[in-house]
Amino acid sequence: MTALRTVQTRGRIVVTTGGTGGHVFPARALAAELIRRGWTVDFATDARGVAHVRMPEGVDVHALPAGGVSGMGMGRRIRGAIELLRGVARARGLMRRLAPAAVIGFGSYAALPATLAALLAGLPVGLHEQNAVLGRANRLLGRKARLLALSVADTKAVPDAARPRVRVTGNPVRAEVAAVADMPYAAPAADAEFVLFSTGGSQGARFLGTTLPRAAALLPAALKARTRLVIQIRPEDMAGAEAALAGQGFAAVELAPFFADMPARLAAAHLVVARSGASTVAELAAAGRPSLLVPLPGAIDDHQTANARALVDAGAAIAMAQPAATPEALARVIADLAEDPARLARMAEAALGVGRADAASRLADLVEALAEGRALPADTEGGLRAAATNQTPTGGALPFGGREETA
């Protein structure tokens, strides 16, 4: 745990989350914006977050015990509950030391110790939800938090008690990704290079890494000859992908477990094939790039299907349920889009139309009001409508074909 800093700033704000990049990326974006505005930012997370999360320079990182209790067996639930209680006790001491003006949670069980401790201490607590279905941690805390910021206006499972405190900000994205919006999308000409980029999030997606190479091998020969394939592949799946693509006549093939230069990859892509995690959807929209989405089956509350729907309804994406996304089906959709540059251009424009490149700034405005004890700015983006839509989806048939798996 790092020492308490004494640098004079506008005040101190604690940001807390953990888990996947879908939670961490928007937390980082907000932290960077708050630092730019003169605030001191601390980050509270669990041991995994301390090991893997990289926050902006100047942010002190604090480790707290944390344990999940949802979707587990009884033994793991008990252990998770014990870890959570230990984390809350540790976090209460941290709150006394830091004395933050506000605490902002971005969901996941790793955010529970700091946010619960802040509520017990009477500190202003704000929450941000990245997905189109309110997550379990935010659902628990949303009734008491003074701010519930949403990424989309029709977010499901928002508690009625939170309605007056709902505001719609969009999902903060990294400044480098938001800048891609200033790089106009250039649809591929019929005889020019076609860049197909696939990303599966910070951990990679095994399904995409194993199925997409087989789908690409089924593309027409003329299309292969002008296609540059850029695919995220887990290390354990690399040999299979290389075998599927060997000797297939592609213009270029680049396979890697992780792409550190995501903004540049997005900027160059003519079509993105991806899961529909919250940050992926937000970055596709902010960058204005067309996409083919395969929601993760079995995601809690089927939130990836709900995330994809925002882009699909806008005409910015095509979504396929995983059982329907066979190599043959993926190849057909990719080929149809590659041969229809006008449609790709329309999809790119539609993506920009639902993008929120200023989401970090909008959220920071609300956080500053919370930290300074001012009334929250009025909601102008349909937050009350979102909160009224409080049913929790349970999966089921998808409008774009097939059914999601339940596990």
Side-chain angles (χ1 to χ4, degrees):
M1 187 174 293
T2 52
L4 183 64
R5 286 163 291 163
T6 58
V7 177
Q8 295 299 310
T9 65
R10 295 179 62 185
R12 185 182 301 274
I13 293 172
V14 172
V15 174
T16 179
T17 192
T20 66
H23 295 299
V24 171
F25 290 157
R28 286 176 53 186
L30 174 66
E33 177 63 17
L34 290 172
I35 291 169
R36 188 188 68 80
R37 297 184 182 200
W39 293 85
T40 296
V41 177
D42 287 76
F43 181 58
T45 186
D46 61 356
R48 184 174 64 162
V50 170
H52 298 292
V53 174
R54 296 294 176 265
M55 294 299 286
E57 185 178 354
V59 175
D60 282 348
V61 178
H62 308 271
L64 297 172
V69 295
S70 295
M72 301 177 178
M74 184 56 66
R76 292 185 63 186
R77 287 189 181 192
I78 292 172
R79 290 193 295 273
I82 292 171
E83 284 298 289
L84 175 59
L85 291 174
R86 289 182 59 237
V88 172
R90 182 89 58 84
R92 294 191 75 174
L94 180 65
M95 294 303 151
R96 286 193 293 269
R97 286 200 318 113
L98 297 180
V103 174
I104 311 300
F106 281 79
S108 90
Y109 69 84
L112 284 172
T115 46
L116 284 171
L119 287 172
L120 290 170
L123 295 170
V125 171
L127 306 173
H128 181 274
E129 177 57 51
Q130 300 86 59
N131 291 295
V133 180
L134 200 67
R136 301 297 175 88
N138 282 347
R139 214 174 298 171
L140 171 67
L141 300 165
R143 295 173 175 83
K144 299 296 183 181
R146 300 189 197 180
L147 164 69
L148 176 56
L150 304 178
S151 296
V152 295
D154 58 350
T155 299
K156 306 298 187 299
V158 176
D160 287 339
R163 293 181 66 183
R165 301 181 298 281
V166 166
R167 300 294 185 271
V168 180
T169 62
N171 194 6
V173 299
R174 293 166 285 177
E176 314 91 274
V177 172
V180 177
D182 296 326
M183 306 175 189
Y185 178 79
D191 57 349
E193 183 180 67
F194 172 68
V195 180
L196 180 66
F197 174 45
S198 178
T199 174
S202 58
Q203 301 297 317
R206 168 156 289 172
F207 173 79
L208 292 178
T210 56
T211 305
L212 188 57
R214 294 162 56 201
L218 298 175
L219 294 174
L223 178 56
K224 289 180 186 176
R226 63 185 184 91
T227 295
R228 173 182 293 272
L229 282 178
V230 184
I231 307 178
Q232 184 180 11
I233 307 284
R234 292 187 181 197
E236 59 267 33
D237 300 322
M238 188 69 70
E242 291 173 341
L245 296 171
Q248 290 292 326
F250 287 98
V253 175
E254 185 175 357
L255 310 177
F258 182 75
F259 294 105
D261 55 345
M262 175 65 75
R265 303 293 181 172
L266 278 178
H270 293 117
L271 177 65
V272 180
V273 182
R275 290 298 199 190
S276 49
S279 284
T280 297
V281 168
E283 292 185 349
L284 287 168
R289 293 303 184 262
S291 56
L292 170 57
L293 303 175
V294 184
L296 174 68
I300 294 178
D301 295 325
D302 200 21
H303 65 264
Q304 286 212 2
T305 296
N307 293 345
R309 197 178 309 278
L311 292 182
V312 173
D313 289 350
I318 293 173
M320 301 177 70
Q322 183 165 306
T326 63
E328 294 78 11
L330 287 172
R332 284 194 299 271
V333 174
I334 292 169
D336 287 346
L337 289 173
E339 302 297 344
D340 194 348
R343 184 181 182 187
L344 286 173
R346 291 193 300 271
M347 292 172 68
E349 184 176 2
L352 276 180
V354 297
R356 297 286 183 85
D358 63 343
S361 177
R362 294 160 67 98
L363 181 57
D365 289 344
L366 293 168
V367 171
E368 287 186 326
L370 193 68
E372 294 170 350
R374 295 184 279 111
L376 296 176
D379 181 75
T380 59
E381 299 289 337
L384 295 182
R385 174 170 64 85
T389 311
N390 60 8
Q391 68 271 23
T392 302
T394 57
L398 295 172
F400 20 78
R403 293 178 63 89
E404 285 288 21
E405 299 171 358
T406 57

